[in-house]
Amino acid sequence: MYNKYLILTLSFFSLIIILPFIGIFSKLNFDFLSLLVFISNTYILKIIYFTFYQAFFSAVLSCLIAIPFALALNRQKNLTIIRYLVSICGFSFVIPSILIVYAVIKLFGINGFYNNYFNFYELLEINSIYGLKAILIAHILLNAPFATRLFFQNLDNIPNKYYEISSSLNLTFFGNIIKLEIPIIKQNLFSVFSIIFSLCFLSFAIVMVLGGSPLNSTIEVAIYQFALFELNFNKAIFLSFIQIFICLIFIFIGFNKMKGSKYFEINNTIYTHPYKNYKFIKLIDYILILILSLFLFSPIIFIILNFFYNGFIENILFTSEFFNALFNSLVISIITGLIVSILGLLITILLIENYKNIIIQQSLFLLTSSILVISPVIFSLGYFIILGEYRYNNFFNFFVIILINSVFLIPFSILILFNNLKNIYLTYEDFQKAFRIKSSDYYLIIFSLIKNNLLYVFAFSSVITFGDFTIISFFKNQNFETLPSLLYKLISAYRFNEASFVAGFILVLSLIIYFFIDNIVYKLKPAKII
Amino acid sequence: MKKIYILLSLTLLLSSNVYANNKDTLTIYTYDSFVSEWGPGPIIKEIFEEKFDANLELIAVDSAATLLSKIILEGKTSKADVVLGLDMNLLDAANKSDLFQKHSLKNLDQLIQLPIRWESDNFIPYNYGYFAFVYNNKKFNNPPKSMNELINETKVRLVIQDPRTSTPGLGLLTWMKAIYGESAGDEWRKLNKKIISVTKGWTDSYYNIFLAGEADMVLSYTTSPAAHIMFEENYDYSAITFEEGNYISIEFAGILKNSKNYTLANKFLEFILTDDFQSIIPSTNIMYPVTNKTNLPEAYNLLNIPKALQIDPSSINDNKNIWIEEWLNAS
């Protein structure tokens, strides 16, 4: 029965991945000689090198900051605030990158908060942060909390018995970290590193604004520039293949290991860490948690404070332009959230149903996750070409924007759902066989056990879509704006106060949606778990 | 599962809002700030529709820098009749695209007042301005009087835009070329030491970097301070007019060859030069009108008018890539 749906899903995914490439290839004018000249261009080689270099350091630094933060959070996890900090760690990952850019400048710039109070430009003899420094700061602010949440989840999965054994062996504080906690973190260190590396490798908005010089650019920015400004699709596609090749290696390794992890859940098991109550360690942990929280969550704190400080700007709040943009943003993000949750669930079911047929399972898994290595710019541009004259029909705009956003988010949805659903399915499989329950009824019965994961998928994908600027930039028109595209339009019309309001509004609304759904999950957990 | 697939299709269908109407519709592609609620678009649409009993569909394609690219990309599938918002640095590329046709307006020279002679038969200019470095006059003292002083003497943190992706960015590239010619590469090397950031577009450099106090000066237009005065009553921003002159930016509109509404499109081009259109340009598009300059908003009286510099558009089109390479090598 499921073969029919499997073929349908495989065909659907193949089609939506192939379609934009048909569009791009229809515009290609292959010229081998000019491509050779292009490859040997030192500027292009510098960009490829810089893309790799910044992604590598962003991933290394994010992981290095995340490890001590996760260890401290794990030691003090009995505190109620920890679960909120871990929840915010997840939110940092879904903040629109244009807001991170804005916050980095306002906080770390020469006229920013930190320099105004600590004068670190003079102390460290910094002339400007633009370039590698600013890119690294922004990437760390986006990814270190994400890595913290993943490492924390790993540490949380350490069985209580292990700590009992370590206590009976009289392992010291550092012995405990080195012998027990670090090996657990190491299990997923490379997959976390790979994912952060790939995300930074594909970085777009951050590098565009904070790069400083044309030499500090990424392949993604170069693709955007060649495709959109020079209409040179040969160069854009060529760079895109280089990008796909490098990313594929990292994503493949990362995803291969990621299948079995409960990455996106906060599932705090209550037990006391053996070194939780040592006064000195407690003090160090509190200081570490405070400093890293202030640093890593500073963009969120800054934008919220700024939003409430500026108050409501009536000029923009009560305009039809704002309401239309808000309506479009909500419709697109909610429908995307629904589609990602439903399709993610369906594909996960198909993956589980075919768990004995490794080839089919892996091909479906690879096909759905391969989308992550394709440049969103190339993907959107391909659809822009394919749509032809329909691109200014709002129905198709809605459809394509939702489709592209969904396709990019479904791999995450599978990651979130797969492990839990697989465990539940296998745990109760014998009951299903014993009582001869139909597959469809069986899923209805076990649905209540995964609805929290589904809620999280919905919140996660809705919030990411709500802040999207890349995809909307291809399909917006005067009748069709979302809040992020309105933000840019306001700036270009010199309406700076209104733009600040819209930026704050996007963040606060995203935060409310995300925080509400991410935390509502706790109430539904068994008593043993927070 | 079948139900879910059907439900999904229905959800997507319900999210549409297709509309239709019966009057003649003139479709204009332009840049985003032109059609925003605060731009000239909504007022122009209202007056034109009332005057000509037609629908005016203004479509914000993207920024001015990508406007021509998108039209070339769309080719014959484009539904646009008129394109509004190209600038002089794209004039030759627009002509060579072979997508535009001649307009029917006569005696254009007598209708418009531009600092330079207008020579195109395909396009009608609708506003102009000058590229300039803008600074905060409360924070930055002794602004340079010339490009030469800026490059060689002034201690300053500059933010500019990338010439490959931005209209003002390309404007600075041609401005440097107009002043320094063959030695522009050497001057770029010196200027680059003062540039803290090169952004892809104007919005990032002006809003995210310059107004945040990160840079002392930003590449913008001589008219930018007028926007601060008109919208915020803020007199803290000034634009520098250089002794060598400032590079001029003229924006224009043209009719596409595949337009199905040639007559209406021509009426729109005529309408561009009327007072109805021109009078709202300074306060909404923050540029100078091309016809009547006697009724400019008060804020414009505080602006200095520089000497206009310009390079032949065909020379720009022929040499753009070489000049960009020169700029990149100097970075």
Side-chain angles (χ1 to χ4, degrees):
Chain A
M1 168 198 172
Y2 283 95
N3 278 345
K4 194 171 70 183
Y5 292 111
L6 185 67
I7 292 165
L8 189 70
T9 312
L10 275 170
S11 318
F12 172 72
F13 262 89
S14 307
L15 185 71
I16 50 181
I17 291 174
I18 290 166
L19 261 181
F21 283 96
I22 294 173
I24 299 268
F25 278 99
S26 72
K27 298 278 177 183
L28 276 190
N29 180 18
F30 193 73
D31 178 2
F32 188 68
L33 202 67
S34 61
L35 264 186
L36 269 182
V37 175
F38 176 64
I39 301 164
S40 52
N41 183 329
T42 51
Y43 176 69
I44 294 302
L45 294 175
K46 275 181 191 168
I47 282 186
I48 296 171
Y49 171 72
F50 183 78
T51 309
F52 194 90
Y53 181 78
Q54 62 82 22
F56 181 81
F57 277 103
S58 298
V60 167
L61 291 172
S62 297
C63 289
L64 284 179
I65 291 173
I67 291 171
F69 195 26
L71 287 171
L73 288 173
N74 183 53
R75 278 191 293 270
Q76 305 301 330
K77 67 180 168 187
N78 299 47
L79 295 172
T80 315
I81 193 170
I82 300 298
R83 88 171 197 211
Y84 293 110
L85 291 179
V86 176
S87 180
I88 300 174
C89 280
F91 181 68
S92 298
F93 186 64
V94 298
I95 295 182
S97 44
I98 44 170
L99 296 187
I100 286 281
V101 166
Y102 176 69
V104 165
I105 293 169
K106 289 281 191 177
L107 289 166
F108 296 91
I110 196 164
N111 201 29
F113 174 82
Y114 290 113
N115 194 42
N116 284 341
Y117 284 91
F118 306 110
N119 201 21
F120 74 96
Y121 272 62
E122 212 173 295
L123 289 171
L124 303 171
E125 292 181 355
I126 297 170
N127 178 40
S128 153
I129 54 158
Y130 298 96
L132 186 64
K133 287 192 269 305
I135 292 172
L136 288 180
I137 290 172
H139 282 163
I140 288 167
L141 290 175
L142 269 180
N143 296 303
F146 171 64
T148 305
R149 181 159 173 158
L150 306 187
F151 292 144
F152 176 83
Q153 209 49 60
N154 270 23
L155 292 169
D156 193 59
N157 286 338
I158 297 175
N160 201 11
K161 276 182 189 169
Y162 285 27
Y163 281 113
E164 285 168 15
I165 295 166
S166 83
S167 296
S168 65
L169 290 172
N170 282 331
L171 277 183
T172 61
F173 172 71
F174 288 109
N176 220 29
I177 291 177
I178 293 163
K179 301 274 184 195
L180 178 60
E181 290 166 337
I182 293 291
I184 292 287
I185 286 178
K186 259 170 75 181
Q187 286 176 359
N188 276 316
L189 183 62
F190 193 67
S191 53
V192 173
F193 175 86
S194 306
I195 288 162
I196 296 176
F197 176 88
S198 304
L199 291 168
C200 297
F201 199 84
L202 293 169
S203 188
F204 181 68
I206 287 172
V207 178
M208 264 212 332
V209 187
L210 300 176
S213 145
L215 298 178
N216 299 334
S217 197
T218 55
I219 299 175
E220 183 74 359
V221 176
I223 290 172
Y224 170 74
Q225 180 197 311
F226 284 128
L228 236 73
F229 293 90
E230 291 185 20
L231 296 182
N232 194 326
F233 298 110
N234 293 350
K235 290 179 181 176
I237 277 287
F238 178 74
L239 282 179
S240 181
F241 282 135
I242 292 178
Q243 194 181 41
I244 288 171
F245 177 73
I246 298 172
C247 260
L248 206 60
I249 299 167
F250 281 86
I251 283 281
F252 182 75
I253 299 164
F255 266 54
N256 204 24
K257 292 196 171 181
M258 216 173 163
K259 280 185 287 183
S261 304
K262 291 198 280 179
Y263 269 132
F264 296 88
E265 292 171 55
I266 318 173
N267 195 14
N268 296 8
T269 315
I270 302 174
Y271 58 77
T272 309
H273 190 281
Y275 288 92
K276 178 189 173 290
N277 291 322
Y278 282 60
K279 278 187 182 165
F280 180 69
I281 291 166
K282 208 174 192 175
L283 181 72
I284 296 289
D285 277 349
Y286 284 0
I287 293 171
L288 195 69
I289 290 170
L290 182 72
I291 291 174
L292 285 176
S293 298
L294 282 177
F295 170 65
L296 294 175
F297 306 137
S298 55
I300 301 172
I301 299 165
F302 169 77
I303 296 170
I304 291 174
L305 288 179
N306 200 37
F307 176 71
F308 287 109
Y309 177 77
N310 287 338
F312 290 99
I313 310 284
E314 288 169 14
N315 285 353
I316 179 76
L317 189 63
F318 299 113
T319 59
S320 58
E321 204 159 18
F322 178 80
F323 272 104
N324 287 339
L326 176 62
F327 174 78
N328 289 340
S329 286
L330 286 173
V331 169
I332 289 171
S333 54
I334 289 169
I335 295 177
T336 305
L338 283 172
I339 290 175
V340 171
S341 312
I342 296 167
L343 275 185
L345 180 64
L346 291 177
I347 294 167
T348 311
I349 290 173
L350 288 173
L351 284 169
I352 291 166
E353 286 289 332
N354 288 286
Y355 75 98
K356 283 174 188 159
N357 191 341
I358 297 294
I359 296 170
I360 290 181
Q361 191 200 42
Q362 286 301 313
S363 52
L364 184 60
F365 203 85
L366 270 177
L367 191 67
T368 49
S369 56
S370 65
I371 190 73
L372 286 182
V373 299
I374 299 171
S375 151
V377 170
I378 286 286
F379 209 75
S380 307
L381 185 70
Y383 270 105
F384 181 84
I385 297 167
I386 280 283
L387 272 180
E389 57 190 286
Y390 297 110
R391 66 179 71 95
Y392 296 110
N393 181 318
N394 285 350
F395 166 71
F396 289 102
N397 277 335
F398 265 109
F399 180 79
V400 168
I401 292 168
I402 290 167
L403 180 79
I404 299 174
N405 273 309
S406 302
V407 166
F408 277 97
L409 289 165
I410 281 173
F412 288 103
S413 142
I414 296 169
L415 283 172
I416 298 166
L417 296 170
F418 183 77
N419 188 57
N420 243 15
L421 193 62
K422 184 186 76 184
N423 290 342
I424 294 164
Y425 182 89
L426 295 178
T427 309
Y428 299 105
E429 199 183 14
D430 291 342
F431 291 100
Q432 184 204 3
K433 283 177 184 162
F435 293 101
R436 292 180 186 173
I437 301 169
K438 275 199 309 182
S439 278
S440 50
D441 292 337
Y442 180 55
Y443 281 110
L444 280 177
I445 294 165
I446 62 172
F447 179 77
S448 62
L449 297 172
I450 53 144
K451 71 177 180 200
N452 290 344
N453 295 81
L454 270 178
L455 267 177
Y456 186 80
V457 169
F458 176 75
F460 182 84
S461 38
S462 298
V463 171
I464 286 190
T465 310
F466 195 75
D468 162 68
F469 185 73
T470 310
I471 298 164
I472 183 70
S473 68
F474 284 87
F475 302 99
K476 63 177 180 173
N477 60 51
Q478 86 289 0
N479 293 320
F480 189 76
E481 295 274 1
T482 59
L483 284 180
S485 69
L486 176 67
L487 170 65
Y488 261 61
K489 199 158 98 174
L490 284 166
I491 297 169
S492 56
Y494 291 88
R495 303 288 166 164
F496 304 118
N497 291 334
E498 289 88 342
S500 292
F501 171 78
V502 172
F505 188 88
I506 293 171
L507 186 92
V508 172
L509 196 62
S510 308
L511 189 68
I512 291 169
I513 298 170
Y514 181 87
F515 216 60
F516 176 70
I517 296 181
D518 195 32
N519 283 282
I520 206 171
V521 170
Y522 288 106
K523 292 176 188 168
L524 304 163
K525 287 213 180 284
K528 191 189 163 193
I529 295 164
I530 296 174
Chain B
M1 283 180 96
K2 201 180 279 177
K3 281 179 192 166
I4 295 170
Y5 274 100
I6 294 166
L7 194 72
L8 272 177
S9 319
L10 279 174
T11 319
L12 285 170
L13 277 169
L14 287 170
S15 66
S16 69
N17 60 347
V18 186
Y19 65 94
N21 58 56
N22 297 321
K23 289 179 189 173
D24 275 349
T25 300
L26 187 73
T27 306
I28 297 178
Y29 281 9
T30 185
Y31 47 85
D32 41 15
S33 62
F34 193 90
V35 297
S36 78
E37 200 163 302
W38 306 275
I43 309 169
I44 283 162
K45 178 178 159 68
E46 197 184 323
I47 302 171
F48 183 82
E49 287 183 343
E50 199 185 312
K51 230 172 167 176
F52 296 93
D53 193 30
N55 290 313
L56 187 66
E57 191 183 7
L58 287 163
I59 293 179
V61 174
D62 205 343
S63 65
T66 52
L67 193 52
L68 184 62
S69 303
K70 288 232 174 149
I71 291 149
I72 294 172
L73 196 61
E74 288 188 7
K76 285 176 183 169
T77 68
S78 178
K79 64 181 243 184
D81 297 299
V82 171
V83 176
L84 182 146
L86 302 173
D87 101 321
M88 286 300 279
N89 287 339
L90 293 170
L91 182 73
D92 196 54
N95 277 328
K96 285 181 178 158
S97 73
D98 202 31
L99 290 168
F100 295 89
Q101 58 178 309
K102 285 184 181 172
H103 57 75
S104 62
L105 270 73
K106 305 285 177 214
N107 302 323
L108 200 57
D109 277 348
Q110 289 161 23
L111 295 169
I112 58 174
Q113 301 157 25
L114 279 173
I116 57 163
R117 191 177 155 74
W118 185 254
E119 287 174 339
S120 170
D121 294 331
N122 283 349
F123 303 104
I124 298 285
Y126 65 90
N127 65 200
Y128 73 97
Y130 305 89
F131 296 116
F133 286 99
V134 173
Y135 67 101
N136 185 322
N137 54 43
K138 293 280 185 294
K139 292 178 181 168
F140 189 78
N141 302 316
N142 302 320
K145 293 176 185 66
S146 64
M147 184 70 93
N148 210 33
E149 192 183 329
L150 171 73
I151 292 172
N152 295 303
E153 292 166 38
T154 314
K155 197 180 168 210
V156 65
R157 295 160 60 84
L158 283 175
V159 57
I160 66 163
Q161 298 93 44
D162 193 324
R164 296 167 298 175
T165 53
S166 144
T167 304
L170 184 57
L172 180 61
L173 193 82
T174 47
W175 191 1
M176 289 286 281
K177 213 69 202 172
I179 298 174
Y180 296 108
E182 290 300 306
S183 60
D186 296 331
E187 300 304 318
W188 267 118
R189 232 161 255 120
K190 289 188 247 171
L191 186 64
N192 276 335
K193 289 177 185 154
K194 298 164 197 274
I195 295 171
I196 59 152
S197 187
V198 181
T199 64
K200 296 294 150 194
W202 176 90
T203 45
D204 285 326
S205 51
Y206 202 92
Y207 180 70
N208 282 328
I209 296 180
F210 172 64
L211 289 185
E214 289 300 291
D216 304 312
M217 279 184 201
V218 61
L219 176 64
S220 189
Y221 296 87
T222 55
T223 43
S224 295
H228 290 281
I229 297 169
M230 288 188 291
F231 305 143
E232 302 163 355
E233 290 187 23
N234 185 344
Y235 292 80
D236 295 351
Y237 298 96
S238 305
I240 310 169
T241 52
F242 283 156
E243 284 166 0
E244 297 96 333
N246 290 39
Y247 201 84
I248 192 167
S249 167
I250 304 170
E251 293 181 332
F252 52 83
I255 306 170
L256 283 167
K257 271 187 178 166
N258 62 336
S259 166
K260 294 177 185 83
N261 293 302
Y262 181 73
T263 314
L264 194 59
N266 259 301
K267 281 182 184 167
F268 181 78
L269 294 196
E270 280 172 24
F271 171 70
I272 279 179
L273 299 179
T274 63
D275 253 12
D276 286 336
F277 187 107
Q278 291 291 310
S279 62
I280 57 167
I281 287 293
S283 57
T284 53
N285 216 31
I286 324 298
M287 295 285 256
Y288 289 104
V290 294
T291 59
N292 187 359
K293 288 189 202 61
T294 50
N295 288 326
L296 290 175
E298 263 185 44
Y300 278 71
N301 298 335
L302 301 168
L303 307 178
N304 293 322
I305 297 175
K307 183 177 95 183
L309 290 179
Q310 207 223 332
I311 294 179
D312 176 34
S314 63
S315 174
I316 296 170
N317 202 30
D318 294 342
N319 296 297
K320 196 173 99 176
N321 289 337
I322 301 166
W323 297 345
I324 285 174
E325 196 72 21
E326 186 180 61
W327 168 74
L328 278 174
N329 288 332
S331 293

